[in-house]
Amino acid sequence: MRLWGPAVLVILTGAVRAEVLLSEEEIQQTLSFGPWPPSFQSDPSNRISNDARAIALGAALFTDPVLSVDGAFSCASCHDPKQAFTTSDTRALGRVLLDRNTPSLRNLSGLRWYGWGGKSDSLWAASLHPIIEEQEMAHNKESLKSALSESSFIDDFEAIFGGIQSQDPELVLVNTAKTLSAYLETLVTERTQFDDFRDALERRDLTEAAHYPETAQRGLQLFLGRGNCVFCHNSPGFSNNEFHDAGVPYFLNETEVDEGRFGGLNFLLSSAYTLGGDWSDDPDKRGAWAVRSVRRSHSDFGTFRTPSLRGVAETAPYMHNGSLNDLDAVIRHYSEIDTERLHTDGEAILSELNLSEQEIADLVAFLETLSNVTRP
Ligand code: HEC
Ligand code: HEC
């Protein structure tokens, strides 16, 4: 069925000429990146998901050092709300320098896996681990319970969960993480120039769509076509939320590697905090099939979760180890990718693109329209 006439519309306004360059097929593919924002779905594994008091408490705890054992730092020290919930550091600095870059925390509601290696299958578990990780906030259940009991948050905590003294310390830990998760669920990136373009295409308003810069349109065409970026960066969040080797070296030094998904699965499969476990509030244990059916395999080594590209211009540096400084460097990385190094079984999808300077600039311009900021 042919819904549209020729997708090219030329508007002549004085000397300015703007047009929609996309083919019918490219337009249909573009529609799959929306609508945005997605409708809110509360988390069945978290009984205080979408609860206003829990969101407020989670927001307050997020920026307070009470969640680290010696009061040294807060979640916001690494996930700075003023810097798109990350920092410009290459790798996160906790009690030691961590191996990985800090991800932004927006658009996390409803994903199947969390973390670069997918070591959590819920947002509350991903919020719980940093509190007790040795290298991060280093609390244990008991120290967290006593820190909270003595803090100014105790009244708000007890208003939601009842008296703290009668609660098992592990329950206090899980409840705390669930308030953080309720807060993080509310963090969604704004609509952007790209969303206006996409919605105009859906309404078949080519005059409006033609306001989207041609350089970004050409970048989008490469993203969908020769670059095949859409194979992994798809759906409204621009991620399939699965694990791949995108050609970033995963050696930490001469003898150690970042195990990526392999390590994430090792962690997940022995964790008490999964959707299949006792701490999920969902009587039907929805989503638990994923953790129950997942298996480790050698090809998981050195693969990482595909990051969302929404808001990406605000979160340099890039990749799991922060090794690429800007979007230009990321595109050059894909353009010159060393396919010899890639997992032979997985990633036949990536190949050297040998992009021209113009094509690199076009792809960067496209990625920038997924944020509301432009390069300084
Ligand atoms: C020392 C810096 C640091 C601190 C402090 C920190 N984080 Fe993180 N956070 C990271 C890094 C690095 C990752 C990626 C970890 C990984 O995947 O191995 C991450 C990942 C996450 C994720 C998963 C994001 C995704 O895209 O899947 C969530 C959720 C999160 N952190 C929440 C929190 C919360 C809540 C706190 C406070 C209790 C916190 N973090 C404290 C550095 C930090
Ligand atoms: C095979 C799946 C796959 C394909 C195809 C792919 N990517 Fe990626 N992309 C990933 C993964 C996985 C990462 C994270 C890799 C890592 O950290 O080691 C990533 C990282 C990125 C990042 C950095 C995001 C951040 O927050 O650090 C950008 C930007 C990006 N890709 C853009 C693109 C573009 C543009 C293309 C097409 C030229 C593309 N990707 C093709 C899977 C893919």
Side-chain angles (χ1 to χ4, degrees):
M1 186 178 56
R2 199 176 153 126
L3 295 172
W4 295 52
V8 178
L9 178 91
V10 180
I11 312 166
L12 290 163
T13 43
V16 185
R17 190 179 128 262
E19 55 184 321
V20 172
L21 305 175
L22 272 54
S23 71
E24 176 61 29
E25 194 191 340
E26 288 165 338
I27 288 171
Q28 292 306 321
Q29 283 180 286
T30 302
L31 298 187
S32 71
F33 296 121
W36 195 262
S39 60
F40 181 82
Q41 308 280 336
S42 76
D43 175 357
S45 71
N46 179 0
R47 68 196 181 291
I48 52 164
S49 169
N50 205 23
D51 172 313
R53 290 180 308 177
I55 293 168
L57 177 57
L61 288 172
F62 188 82
T63 54
D64 199 281
V66 68
L67 294 187
S68 72
V69 69
D70 46 9
F73 46 84
S74 69
C75 309
S77 308
C78 296
H79 301 285
D80 181 355
K82 293 194 197 69
Q83 298 183 67
F85 294 86
T86 177
T87 68
S88 54
D89 293 339
T90 301
R91 286 153 53 194
L93 184 60
R95 314 186 96 71
V96 294
L97 184 62
L98 305 185
D99 295 331
R100 294 185 181 160
N101 179 256
T102 305
S104 168
L105 297 181
R106 301 164 307 170
N107 307 330
L108 292 182
S109 178
L111 302 188
R112 181 169 300 151
W113 310 116
Y114 295 89
W116 285 108
K119 75 177 193 180
S120 307
D121 68 351
S122 73
L123 187 51
W124 53 267
S127 305
L128 184 151
H129 297 306
I131 305 175
I132 53 173
E133 285 297 312
E134 266 311 305
Q135 302 190 328
E136 295 185 49
M137 304 170 99
H139 261 302
N140 57 47
K141 297 166 224 171
E142 288 75 21
S143 66
L144 177 70
K145 180 172 168 174
S146 61
L148 280 176
S149 305
E150 289 155 20
S151 77
S152 59
F153 301 108
I154 188 62
D155 292 344
D156 292 334
F157 187 91
E158 294 192 326
I160 303 169
F161 300 111
I164 197 170
Q165 287 321 323
S166 60
Q167 284 176 44
D168 182 75
E170 189 162 21
L171 178 60
V172 172
L173 171 65
V174 173
N175 282 339
T176 303
K178 285 179 178 168
T179 68
L180 292 165
S181 177
Y183 163 59
L184 295 180
E185 280 176 347
T186 66
L187 306 179
V188 178
T189 53
E190 304 277 299
R191 281 178 60 84
T192 65
Q193 201 182 6
F194 172 79
D195 297 303
D196 292 341
F197 173 63
R198 184 252 170 226
D199 290 0
L201 293 177
E202 188 172 49
R203 292 192 309 270
R204 305 174 189 197
D205 182 349
L206 294 187
T207 313
E208 182 59 35
H211 290 131
Y212 188 62
E214 285 190 17
T215 170
Q217 292 191 51
R218 289 193 303 267
L220 170 58
Q221 288 177 309
L222 281 165
F223 192 87
L224 299 170
R226 192 154 64 86
N228 207 7
C229 317
V230 69
F231 185 85
C232 302
H233 297 283
N234 54 38
S235 78
F238 287 87
S239 170
N240 57 3
N241 204 28
E242 284 299 336
F243 301 84
H244 300 277
D245 175 0
V248 181
Y250 48 97
F251 282 93
L252 297 169
N253 52 48
E254 278 175 17
T255 52
E256 284 174 291
V257 295
D258 185 326
E259 295 182 343
R261 179 55 167 159
F262 191 85
L265 276 175
N266 268 342
F267 186 98
L268 181 81
L269 293 172
S270 59
S271 173
Y273 309 111
T274 67
L275 293 181
D278 294 343
W279 298 105
S280 163
D281 298 326
D282 183 358
D284 300 330
K285 303 279 186 239
R286 264 165 290 178
W289 61 269
V291 60
R292 284 183 188 141
S293 57
V294 80
R295 297 280 173 275
R296 262 165 304 186
S297 89
H298 190 73
S299 62
D300 294 320
F301 259 103
T303 65
F304 298 89
R305 199 183 91 220
T306 308
S308 168
L309 300 180
R310 286 197 173 264
V312 74
E314 300 157 60
T315 62
Y318 300 107
M319 304 307 194
H320 71 272
N321 54 6
S323 58
L324 298 177
N325 279 332
D326 51 32
L327 290 174
D328 189 78
V330 174
I331 302 302
R332 284 177 201 279
H333 160 80
Y334 281 112
S335 183
E336 296 153 17
I337 202 157
D338 179 2
T339 46
E340 297 286 297
R341 258 216 61 258
L342 289 175
H343 285 63
T344 44
D345 42 349
E347 313 300 356
I349 200 74
L350 286 166
S351 60
E352 236 173 290
L353 297 170
N354 294 316
L355 300 170
S356 69
E357 290 301 312
Q358 182 62 54
E359 289 171 323
I360 291 171
D362 289 344
L363 263 167
V364 171
F366 163 64
L367 292 177
E368 285 178 344
T369 68
L370 304 178
S371 304
N372 285 317
V373 294
T374 46
R375 263 178 299 182

